[in-house]
């Protein structure tokens, strides 16, 4: 139904840039300079989009670095890719920095995962594992490609990312109908694949907007990731011409109009179904899941930097600014939890009425789970999984909390508290293989009711408390932004003991992440790319600028609760 046909082109060479920055150690430096440092690509620079006027908490310093750039030696072409090998394939760089042997293997495997359309790379498939039925693992997923895209941007290969942005944008314009029901015009595809016809010498793009997905749920996160990636491309290259194209401006407007539409909801958060994000199965996140809210917030902030102040964009920008203000207040007020807030909920009164109510969502104190009392450290806190009428999902979700830090949805004090929690609960959240997608796992009767007896999401497996190596890049970015790179370094060293030996699994099972997931695919592309991005960000922290946003002082932080905020 959704296709784009074209003749096959034989030229598919991709130029690989050789210049990267290297640092041996992350020392104290000003984060705003780190975020704004232009990327050292061999192309003409344009001024990148201006950031919002922001500041940094004084206790969030990052240790000084020697950011002298150097040039890697060229190597011959890889057999699986028309582009040259990354500089990371060199055993030792010119400044004497010795790379881990896994890095070369990771780059070679990542290039094998590239998908070509009309001779140009347009993305990476989800996994290269041929031992099982492919299902949709041979497709290019929008969310899966993000770490791959960041790896290519950091390696000076922006054309791959540009091609992906434009191809997915083209797919957005197709009519989207599932069982005779029309989807919103702004919906981005969950994934696409390239169908080859050797007889007619043509290729066709086939997109999935949810009509083939497990549970038949459209991806809410795809549009947010697309905007975030567009900003990352712009920030990395310094080239604003792609974002300024009429089709890209229209694509952003369609996504935002879909999410900012008015209705009956009294909350600024975005109502979402189960299965519409990285957790693409039923896992009890229906309502206002933290992952979607954090991505929504970050996409809105990126849109403020990318949208033109023209007749069509001005009114939308005003709506975005108003929503951001309300969303930041709501999330910082009601999704944040620490030791003091647990105690407050424990003492809540119920059935309160009027605007003076303290227990605004009528949460029953007896709904506090037993594990939260021991899990919450004295210094630390996090954004819980979900908040709604008589509902607080107290589970920890890694992606949502890391994106909250990177987007500055979390205040500097909250960001520090999240890092304190990770350090205090290392065994539970990191264990033997980083990083837990959520904590704790649903078990027994609760698992049956909430997941519908899902055999793939049994306790401490897959989305239900499994460990996902791809989350390394998000953890590393959050650690660098909060001045805690030693946490990321420790997690990466753990991953390096097993990832390559285990053939880059999709996820690990068990309370400590000790076992390769029972249905995990091997050579999972985003596990590979997540590792590479984490390594490159630690080597050159200025890469953080393409994915992180500093605090907007106009969004007044909520000054209450945690004693752990005073660090």
């Amino acid at each position: 139904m959704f296709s784009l046909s074209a003749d096959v082109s034989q030229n598919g060479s991709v130029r690989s840039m050789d210049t990267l920055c290297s640092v041996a150690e992350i020392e104290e430096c000003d984060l705003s300079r780190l975020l704004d440092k232009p990327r050292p690509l061999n192309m003409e620079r344009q001024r990148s989009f201006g950031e919002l006027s922001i500041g940094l908490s004084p206790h969030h310093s990052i240790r000084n670095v020697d950011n002298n750039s150097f040039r890697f030696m060229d190597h011959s072409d890889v057999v699986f890719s028309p582009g040259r090998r990354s500089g990371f394939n060199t055993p030792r760089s010119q400044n004497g920095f010795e790379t881990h042997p896994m890095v070369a293997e990771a780059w070679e495997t990542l290039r094998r995962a590239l998908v070509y359309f009309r001779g140009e790379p347009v993305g990476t498939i989800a996994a290269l594992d041929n031992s099982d039925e492919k299902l949709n693992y041979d497709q290019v997923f929008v969310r899966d490609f993000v770490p791959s895209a960041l790896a290519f941007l950091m390696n000076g290969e922006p054309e791959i990312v540009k091609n992906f942005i434009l191809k997915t944008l083209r797919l957005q314009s197709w009519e989207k109908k599932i069982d005779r029901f029309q989807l919103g015009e702004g919906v981005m595809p969950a994934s696409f694949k390239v169908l080859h016809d050797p007889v007619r010498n043509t290729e066709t793009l086939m997109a999935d907007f949810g009509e083939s997905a497990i549970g038949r749920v459209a991806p809410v996160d795809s549009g947010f990731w697309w905007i975030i990636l567009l900003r990352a491309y712009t920030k990395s290259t310094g080239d604003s011409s792609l974002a300024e194209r009429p089709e890209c401006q229209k694509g952003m407007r369609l996504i935002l109009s879909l999410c900012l539409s008015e209705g009956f909801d009294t909350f600024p958060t975005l109502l979402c179904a189960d299965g519409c994000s990285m957790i693409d199965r039923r896992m009890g996140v229906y309502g206002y899941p933290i992952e979607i809210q954090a991505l929504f917030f970050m996409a809105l902030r990126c849109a403020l930097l990318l949208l033109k102040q023209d007749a069509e964009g001005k009114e939308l920008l005003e709506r975005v600014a108003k929503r951001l203000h309300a969303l930041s207040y709501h999330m910082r007020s009601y999704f944040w939890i620490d030791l003091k807030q647990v105690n407050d909920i424990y003492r809540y009164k119920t059935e309160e009425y009027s605007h003076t109510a303290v227990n605004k969502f009528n949460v029953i104190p007896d709904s506090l789970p037993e594990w939260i009392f021991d899990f919450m450290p004295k210094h630390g806190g996090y954004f819980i999984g979900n908040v709604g009428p008589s509902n607080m999902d107290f589970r920890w979700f890694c992606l949502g909390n890391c994106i909250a830090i990177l987007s500055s949805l979390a205040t500097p004090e909250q960001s520090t508290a999240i890092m304190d929690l990770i350090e205090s609960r290392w065994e539970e959240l990191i264990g033997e293989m980083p990083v837990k997608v959520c904590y704790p796992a649903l078990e027994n009767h609760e698992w049956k009711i909430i997941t519908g007896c899902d055999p793939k999401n049994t306790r401490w497996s897959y989305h239900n408390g499994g460990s996902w190596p791809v989350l390394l890049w998000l953890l590393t970015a959050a650690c660098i932004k909060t001045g805690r790179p030693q946490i990321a370094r420790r997690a990466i060293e753990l991953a390096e003991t097993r990832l390559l030996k285990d053939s880059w699994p999709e996820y690990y099972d068990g309370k400590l992440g000790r076992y390769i997931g029972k249905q995990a695919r091997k050579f999972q592309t985003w596990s590979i790319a997540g590792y590479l991005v984490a390594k490159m960000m630690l080597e050159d922290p200025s890469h953080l600028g393409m994915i992180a946003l500093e605090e907007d002082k106009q969004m007044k932080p909520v000054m209450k609760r945690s004693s752990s905020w005073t660090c």
Side-chain angles (χ1 to χ4, degrees), residues 546-559:
M546 70 176 73
I547 199 64
L549 296 160
E550 294 182 52
E551 186 183 12
D552 180 6
K553 290 297 186 182
Q554 293 180 349
M555 296 176 203
K556 304 294 184 185
V558 179
M559 301 304 294

Side-chain angles (χ1 to χ4, degrees), residues 198-219:
V199 176
R200 300 172 62 185
N201 197 33
T202 61
E203 292 178 335
T204 305
L205 284 180
M206 299 295 292
D208 176 17
F209 292 93
E211 74 275 11
S212 300
I214 295 172
R216 300 301 188 267
V217 180

Side-chain angles (χ1 to χ4, degrees), residues 110 113-115 122-126 139-141 144-145 148 152 164 525:
L110 181 61
L114 281 169
V115 172
V122 292
T124 50
I125 60 172
Q139 298 189 27
V140 180
F141 281 80
D144 289 42
F145 180 66
S148 296
F152 287 123
F164 171 85
T525 305

Side-chain angles (χ1 to χ4, degrees), residues 12 49 52 199 203 209 221 235 267 277 282 324 363 415 440 452 463 470 534 557:
F49 284 81
L52 299 177
V199 176
E203 292 178 335
F209 292 93
D221 60 338
K235 186 72 176 178
F267 312 137
S277 61
R282 181 175 163 190
L324 275 170
V363 173
S415 297
H463 301 121
V470 64

Side-chain angles (χ1 to χ4, degrees), residues 43 52 231 266 277 306 313 322 368 383 478 501 515 558 562:
M43 59 177 63
L52 299 177
R231 186 259 176 185
T266 58
S277 61
L306 298 171
K322 288 180 181 179
L368 276 165
F383 290 97
K501 181 176 66 176
Y515 307 99
V558 179
S562 177

Side-chain angles (χ1 to χ4, degrees), residues 488-515:
R489 190 175 294 111
R490 183 182 172 192
I492 291 171
E493 287 171 356
L494 265 178
E496 287 176 337
T497 64
R498 293 192 57 190
L499 271 181
L500 180 59
K501 181 176 66 176
D502 294 340
S503 301
W504 308 98
E506 179 183 9
Y507 63 94
Y508 286 79
D509 285 353
K511 276 191 176 183
L512 299 177
R514 184 172 292 174
Y515 307 99

